[in-house]
Amino acid sequence: MERLLERLKRLSEENRIHFTLIDPDKDDPEEAYRRASIARDAGTDVILIGGSTGVHEPTLSETVRRVKSLGLPVILFPGNLNGLTPEADAVFFMVLLNSMDPYYLTGVQVQAAPIVLRMGLEPIPTSYIIVGYGGAAGYIGRAKPIPYEHPELVAIHALAGAMMGSKVIYLEAGSGAPKPVPPEAVMYSKKLLQASGLDPILIVGGGVRDPETARALARAGANGLVTGTLAEEDPSKLAMVIEAFKNA
Ligand code: 1GP
């Protein structure tokens, strides 16, 4: 069977990928199912499930089971060890590249690695880079967010992530960010990633609420867009954002 990473790579080469993020701390399994089904109808490709705080493993497993019944791939987006469940297809095996805390750089990965193996989850090596606002992920992950005004710093973090072996580079402004990752940061990152010849999948998320922003990020070179809050606050807009991102 095709591995999910290969499928993501193929999807990103054919077009672009939209991810819908569901936080199992905010939504119970039924609500998560409802939200994911709206997102599927709006054209999302992949469901990400995870959050920074309050993840209760049995609820997480039930949420993944319910959401998986919709037929979309489900990737875990864990904030910690409690974000793992064998019910999912894969896990973003992440290093929070600009964390100041060794726990988020190697500690949690060492703890998680044998569990991921035992669960049979496909690990997708991912560099997670916090920009600007940072939100709960930045605070909990003890990140030193890269200022919005320094897209060149974002780009060299992305490049370092690729050179260390990440197949996915995730630029994160933080859930509910008042300002998303600037398109310049995506553009500079894409340029360096392409120049490296490694060309991992470049994903961006946090604070994207309108089609114009989604289009600008796509044109800057993003292969993937993550939205979470939008599906909670304004599901009617979701289809427009996805359409704008994919057909930019
Ligand atoms: C957060 O990037 C995601 O990890 C999604 O952010 O909730 O602001 O869409 P939003």
Side-chain angles (χ1 to χ4, degrees):
M1 215 177 78
E2 188 183 32
R3 306 265 287 170
L4 198 45
L5 176 60
E6 285 154 24
R7 185 158 160 200
L8 294 180
K9 197 73 197 157
R10 188 169 47 76
L11 282 175
S12 77
E13 276 156 15
E14 285 165 10
N15 193 356
R16 299 185 186 89
I17 313 166
H18 180 267
F19 300 83
T20 294
L21 174 66
I22 287 178
D23 185 338
D25 182 36
K26 286 190 192 152
D27 296 324
D28 64 32
E30 270 324 295
E31 182 56 21
Y33 174 84
R34 199 187 61 84
R35 210 184 284 299
S37 103
I38 292 172
R40 183 195 56 181
D41 297 344
T44 202
D45 301 291
V46 178
I47 306 290
L48 297 184
I49 300 188
S52 302
T53 55
V55 178
H56 174 242
E57 199 282 324
T59 310
L60 171 71
S61 292
E62 181 53 20
T63 300
V64 175
R65 249 196 310 276
R66 286 294 285 134
V67 169
K68 259 195 76 75
S69 68
L70 289 164
L72 289 174
V74 173
I75 303 179
L76 299 172
F77 178 53
N80 213 326
L81 283 177
N82 56 349
L84 299 172
T85 166
E87 303 292 337
D89 297 302
V91 55
F92 278 160
F93 198 83
M94 299 194 284
V95 54
L96 205 177
L97 218 57
N98 54 333
S99 176
M100 297 296 107
D101 186 339
Y103 179 72
Y104 292 103
L105 294 169
T106 58
V108 70
Q109 293 82 355
V110 169
Q111 295 281 351
I115 302 173
V116 167
L117 185 65
R118 183 173 298 180
M119 286 182 172
L121 286 166
E122 177 186 338
I124 299 179
T126 301
S127 284
Y128 191 46
I129 299 163
I130 308 265
V131 179
Y133 170 75
Y139 179 79
I140 295 289
R142 299 179 201 272
K144 192 172 175 185
I146 304 172
Y148 285 117
E149 297 73 23
H150 285 284
E152 78 289 357
L153 293 182
V154 176
I156 58 176
H157 277 72
L159 180 63
M163 287 184 171
M164 288 192 284
S166 288
K167 305 296 182 202
V168 169
I169 307 289
Y170 187 152
L171 307 181
E172 170 74 274
S175 188
K179 239 170 72 179
V181 172
E184 297 74 42
V186 174
M187 203 171 69
Y188 288 16
S189 299
K190 190 66 182 176
K191 223 168 146 183
L192 292 190
L193 294 173
Q194 280 175 333
S196 74
L198 297 164
D199 210 15
I201 299 168
L202 181 60
I203 294 178
V204 61
V208 178
R209 297 178 178 83
D210 57 77
E212 295 70 35
T213 306
R215 193 173 298 115
L217 292 168
R219 289 186 179 164
N223 303 114
L225 171 69
V226 183
T227 62
T229 308
L230 186 62
E232 292 161 24
E233 287 177 358
D234 196 353
S236 61
K237 237 182 175 182
L238 189 60
M240 286 192 283
V241 165
I242 295 175
E243 204 271 332
F245 183 68
K246 292 198 176 188
N247 300 316

